[in-house]
Amino acid sequence: MSVLNEFSLEGKVALVTGSKRGIGKAMAVALAEAGADIIGVSASLEAEGSALEQEVQEAGRNFKGYACDFGDRQALYAFIEQVKSDFPVIDILVNNAGTILRKPAAEHPDEYWDKVLEVNLNAQFVLSREIGKEMVARGSGKIIFTASLLTFQGGITVPGYAASKGGIGQLTMALANEWAGSGVNVNAIAPGYIRTDNTQALQDDASRSQSILERIPAGRWGEAEDFAGPVVFLASNASNYVNGATLLVDGGWMGR
């Protein structure tokens, strides 16, 4: 058997959160190109006619879209009930949905903290638990979190985001410790500085943008498409002995 066959996702079903744009969309399209049918969900994803649906179908795969506010716990549970009814078997879960709110720590309001932790950490755990328990029962599955450089660093003016992404790193290992023996791989991908909506404020700050660029050994900001290979690897049989890892996709930032 060719090693390339180990990367095939033919016959698999992947649920990708935060998939309307940016990194999430790029990962969903990559999984489709590797053979998986795609369930997409974002706060404002169209049920039909989205750009993501078009790209998934162009890859020859099936697509189903949902809208869900991950900051609303009742809406999250309603989505989980619906998607599990529509798709009894979900082979791959990519927990990519997230938000960021910026304000210095001394001025960071409860509302910012609560919203970011609910979307970035609480909802991720609930979704992983409810989808993951089915994977454990079947004896197979792949769960991939989107972590961050702030899984390892503190950041500036984003205390809630840093806390949530630090939590994602620990949650990845905690679930892997419990579920690896049941055939469920739980890992994370930590993006560096990527050209997305979340980093627009940094891109628009000429001084900060330049200082960031000077530290990246690869000499450029990352692009959403840089996550195609890593997510296919972690979603496929090629990563069957990878558990509890956080894969840096950062142009070398953390090695500097």
Side-chain angles (χ1 to χ4, degrees):
M1 178 183 293
S2 167
V3 68
L4 293 179
N5 293 335
E6 294 296 294
F7 291 87
S8 173
L9 301 179
E10 195 73 31
K12 303 296 185 181
V13 174
L15 168 56
V16 185
T17 74
S19 52
K20 183 173 182 176
R21 62 176 69 87
I23 293 172
K25 180 171 176 283
M27 291 196 292
V29 171
L31 295 173
E33 290 175 344
D37 291 332
I38 304 299
I39 307 164
V41 58
S42 291
S44 59
L45 183 65
E46 304 89 340
E48 295 181 352
S50 67
L52 174 58
E53 178 179 19
Q54 180 178 345
E55 291 191 46
V56 168
Q57 290 179 343
E58 286 173 355
R61 308 312 308 174
N62 297 319
F63 176 82
K64 175 71 173 176
Y66 299 84
C68 179
D69 177 2
F70 286 90
D72 181 335
R73 189 69 64 89
Q74 285 188 317
L76 174 62
Y77 275 113
F79 164 69
I80 292 170
E81 182 178 6
Q82 185 63 57
V83 78
K84 288 175 73 173
S85 174
D86 293 344
F87 295 91
V89 175
I90 296 172
D91 303 287
I92 300 157
L93 170 62
V94 181
N95 282 306
N96 175 72
T99 190
I100 189 167
L101 294 171
R102 301 177 185 275
K103 196 171 278 288
E107 305 164 19
H108 208 80
D110 288 358
E111 302 81 55
Y112 277 27
W113 177 272
D114 291 344
K115 180 175 182 179
V116 171
L117 267 291
E118 186 64 29
V119 173
N120 291 10
L121 186 58
N122 296 345
Q124 313 276 351
F125 170 69
V126 171
L127 188 56
S128 297
R129 182 190 66 206
E130 296 304 309
I131 302 297
K133 68 173 68 172
E134 308 293 342
M135 295 178 173
V136 169
R138 291 195 309 271
S140 67
K142 302 281 186 172
I143 297 177
I144 303 160
F145 291 95
T146 297
S148 169
L149 292 180
L150 299 197
T151 300
F152 310 98
Q153 301 176 319
I156 300 170
T157 74
V158 287
Y161 185 82
S164 72
K165 291 302 184 177
I168 287 296
Q170 295 300 113
L171 181 58
T172 297
M173 292 186 287
L175 296 182
N177 286 344
E178 294 194 35
W179 294 349
S182 297
V184 179
N185 298 80
V186 185
N187 294 289
I189 298 173
Y193 285 93
I194 313 300
R195 294 189 188 278
T196 66
D197 293 348
N198 271 6
T199 62
Q200 194 61 54
L202 298 177
Q203 295 175 59
D204 293 342
D205 183 331
S207 176
R208 186 86 191 279
S209 179
Q210 183 60 33
S211 68
I212 288 170
L213 189 60
E214 289 172 352
R215 176 173 164 165
I216 300 173
R220 66 174 178 88
W221 283 64
E223 304 292 342
E225 291 69 27
D226 290 317
F227 295 85
V231 76
V232 169
F233 167 63
L234 291 178
S236 72
N237 288 338
S239 63
N240 279 352
Y241 199 58
V242 180
N243 301 88
T246 297
L247 173 61
L248 285 158
V249 182
D250 66 346
W253 174 278
M254 285 299 296
R256 195 63 176 254

Short mmCIF file of all heavy atoms in Angstrom, two decimals, residues 151-177:
data_model
loop_
_atom_site.label_atom_id
_atom_site.label_comp_id
_atom_site.label_asym_id
_atom_site.label_seq_id
_atom_site.Cartn_x
_atom_site.Cartn_y
_atom_site.Cartn_z
N THR A 151 -1.58 29.67 23.12
CA THR A 151 -1.59 28.46 23.93
C THR A 151 -0.28 28.39 24.72
O THR A 151 -0.23 27.78 25.79
CB THR A 151 -1.72 27.21 23.03
OG1 THR A 151 -2.96 27.31 22.31
CG2 THR A 151 -1.72 25.92 23.82
N PHE A 152 0.76 29.06 24.20
CA PHE A 152 2.09 29.03 24.79
C PHE A 152 2.53 30.38 25.34
O PHE A 152 3.42 30.45 26.19
CB PHE A 152 3.11 28.58 23.74
CG PHE A 152 2.73 27.33 23.02
CD1 PHE A 152 2.12 27.39 21.77
CD2 PHE A 152 2.95 26.08 23.58
CE1 PHE A 152 1.75 26.24 21.09
CE2 PHE A 152 2.58 24.92 22.91
CZ PHE A 152 1.98 25.00 21.66
N GLN A 153 1.97 31.47 24.82
CA GLN A 153 2.37 32.82 25.20
C GLN A 153 1.16 33.58 25.75
O GLN A 153 0.02 33.15 25.60
CB GLN A 153 2.94 33.56 23.99
CG GLN A 153 4.15 32.87 23.38
CD GLN A 153 4.64 33.57 22.12
OE1 GLN A 153 3.84 34.01 21.28
NE2 GLN A 153 5.95 33.67 21.98
N GLY A 154 1.41 34.72 26.39
CA GLY A 154 0.33 35.46 27.03
C GLY A 154 -0.37 36.48 26.16
O GLY A 154 -1.51 36.84 26.41
N GLY A 155 0.32 36.97 25.12
CA GLY A 155 -0.29 37.97 24.27
C GLY A 155 -0.40 39.33 24.95
O GLY A 155 0.03 39.53 26.08
N ILE A 156 -1.02 40.28 24.24
CA ILE A 156 -1.19 41.65 24.74
C ILE A 156 -2.64 42.06 24.50
O ILE A 156 -3.14 41.93 23.39
CB ILE A 156 -0.24 42.62 24.02
CG1 ILE A 156 1.21 42.21 24.25
CG2 ILE A 156 -0.46 44.06 24.49
CD1 ILE A 156 2.21 42.98 23.40
N THR A 157 -3.30 42.52 25.53
CA THR A 157 -4.68 43.04 25.51
C THR A 157 -5.72 41.98 25.15
O THR A 157 -6.85 42.33 24.80
CB THR A 157 -4.85 44.27 24.58
OG1 THR A 157 -4.82 43.86 23.21
CG2 THR A 157 -3.77 45.32 24.84
N VAL A 158 -5.39 40.70 25.26
CA VAL A 158 -6.36 39.65 24.96
C VAL A 158 -6.34 38.58 26.07
O VAL A 158 -6.15 37.39 25.80
CB VAL A 158 -6.10 39.00 23.58
CG1 VAL A 158 -6.49 39.95 22.47
CG2 VAL A 158 -4.64 38.57 23.43
N PRO A 159 -6.55 38.96 27.33
CA PRO A 159 -6.44 37.98 28.42
C PRO A 159 -7.43 36.83 28.30
O PRO A 159 -7.09 35.68 28.59
CB PRO A 159 -6.69 38.81 29.68
CG PRO A 159 -7.44 40.03 29.21
CD PRO A 159 -6.89 40.30 27.84
N GLY A 160 -8.67 37.11 27.86
CA GLY A 160 -9.65 36.04 27.70
C GLY A 160 -9.27 35.07 26.61
O GLY A 160 -9.40 33.86 26.77
N TYR A 161 -8.79 35.60 25.50
CA TYR A 161 -8.37 34.76 24.38
C TYR A 161 -7.19 33.88 24.80
O TYR A 161 -7.17 32.68 24.51
CB TYR A 161 -8.00 35.64 23.20
CG TYR A 161 -7.66 34.88 21.94
CD1 TYR A 161 -8.67 34.43 21.10
CD2 TYR A 161 -6.34 34.62 21.58
CE1 TYR A 161 -8.38 33.73 19.93
CE2 TYR A 161 -6.03 33.91 20.42
CZ TYR A 161 -7.06 33.47 19.61
OH TYR A 161 -6.76 32.78 18.46
N ALA A 162 -6.21 34.48 25.48
CA ALA A 162 -5.04 33.71 25.92
C ALA A 162 -5.45 32.61 26.88
O ALA A 162 -4.97 31.46 26.78
CB ALA A 162 -4.02 34.63 26.58
N ALA A 163 -6.35 32.92 27.80
CA ALA A 163 -6.82 31.91 28.76
C ALA A 163 -7.55 30.79 28.04
O ALA A 163 -7.36 29.60 28.36
CB ALA A 163 -7.73 32.56 29.80
N SER A 164 -8.39 31.15 27.07
CA SER A 164 -9.15 30.13 26.34
C SER A 164 -8.24 29.22 25.53
O SER A 164 -8.44 28.00 25.49
CB SER A 164 -10.20 30.79 25.44
OG SER A 164 -9.62 31.43 24.32
N LYS A 165 -7.23 29.79 24.89
CA LYS A 165 -6.35 28.98 24.05
C LYS A 165 -5.37 28.16 24.89
O LYS A 165 -4.97 27.06 24.49
CB LYS A 165 -5.63 29.86 23.05
CG LYS A 165 -6.55 30.46 21.98
CD LYS A 165 -7.30 29.38 21.19
CE LYS A 165 -8.14 29.96 20.06
NZ LYS A 165 -8.79 28.92 19.25
N GLY A 166 -5.00 28.69 26.05
CA GLY A 166 -4.22 27.86 26.98
C GLY A 166 -5.05 26.66 27.41
O GLY A 166 -4.55 25.53 27.49
N GLY A 167 -6.33 26.91 27.67
CA GLY A 167 -7.24 25.83 28.03
C GLY A 167 -7.39 24.79 26.94
O GLY A 167 -7.50 23.59 27.21
N ILE A 168 -7.41 25.24 25.68
CA ILE A 168 -7.51 24.30 24.56
C ILE A 168 -6.32 23.36 24.54
O ILE A 168 -6.45 22.15 24.27
CB ILE A 168 -7.64 25.06 23.22
CG1 ILE A 168 -9.03 25.69 23.09
CG2 ILE A 168 -7.33 24.15 22.03
CD1 ILE A 168 -10.16 24.68 23.02
N GLY A 169 -5.14 23.87 24.81
CA GLY A 169 -3.95 23.02 24.85
C GLY A 169 -4.09 21.93 25.91
O GLY A 169 -3.76 20.75 25.67
N GLN A 170 -4.58 22.30 27.08
CA GLN A 170 -4.75 21.33 28.17
C GLN A 170 -5.89 20.36 27.87
O GLN A 170 -5.79 19.16 28.16
CB GLN A 170 -5.02 22.07 29.48
CG GLN A 170 -3.87 22.92 29.96
CD GLN A 170 -2.62 22.09 30.21
OE1 GLN A 170 -1.63 22.22 29.51
NE2 GLN A 170 -2.67 21.22 31.20
N LEU A 171 -6.98 20.87 27.27
CA LEU A 171 -8.11 20.02 26.93
C LEU A 171 -7.71 18.97 25.89
O LEU A 171 -8.14 17.81 25.97
CB LEU A 171 -9.27 20.87 26.41
CG LEU A 171 -10.56 20.13 26.02
CD1 LEU A 171 -11.12 19.34 27.20
CD2 LEU A 171 -11.59 21.13 25.50
N THR A 172 -6.89 19.38 24.94
CA THR A 172 -6.40 18.44 23.93
C THR A 172 -5.70 17.26 24.59
O THR A 172 -5.96 16.09 24.27
CB THR A 172 -5.43 19.15 22.98
OG1 THR A 172 -6.13 20.19 22.28
CG2 THR A 172 -4.82 18.19 21.97
N MET A 173 -4.83 17.54 25.54
CA MET A 173 -4.10 16.47 26.23
C MET A 173 -5.02 15.66 27.14
O MET A 173 -4.91 14.43 27.23
CB MET A 173 -2.93 17.06 27.00
CG MET A 173 -1.84 17.63 26.11
SD MET A 173 -0.36 18.19 27.00
CE MET A 173 -0.99 19.70 27.77
N ALA A 174 -5.94 16.34 27.82
CA ALA A 174 -6.84 15.64 28.74
C ALA A 174 -7.71 14.63 28.00
O ALA A 174 -7.86 13.48 28.45
CB ALA A 174 -7.71 16.65 29.48
N LEU A 175 -8.29 15.04 26.87
CA LEU A 175 -9.13 14.12 26.11
C LEU A 175 -8.30 13.01 25.49
O LEU A 175 -8.74 11.85 25.44
CB LEU A 175 -9.89 14.88 25.03
CG LEU A 175 -10.91 15.93 25.51
CD1 LEU A 175 -11.61 16.57 24.32
CD2 LEU A 175 -11.92 15.32 26.48
N ALA A 176 -7.10 13.35 25.01
CA ALA A 176 -6.22 12.32 24.44
C ALA A 176 -5.87 11.27 25.49
O ALA A 176 -5.85 10.06 25.19
CB ALA A 176 -4.96 12.96 23.88
N ASN A 177 -5.61 11.70 26.71
CA ASN A 177 -5.28 10.75 27.77
C ASN A 177 -6.39 9.73 28.00
O ASN A 177 -6.13 8.55 28.26
CB ASN A 177 -5.02 11.49 29.08
CG ASN A 177 -3.70 12.23 29.08
OD1 ASN A 177 -2.83 11.98 28.25
ND2 ASN A 177 -3.54 13.17 30.01
#
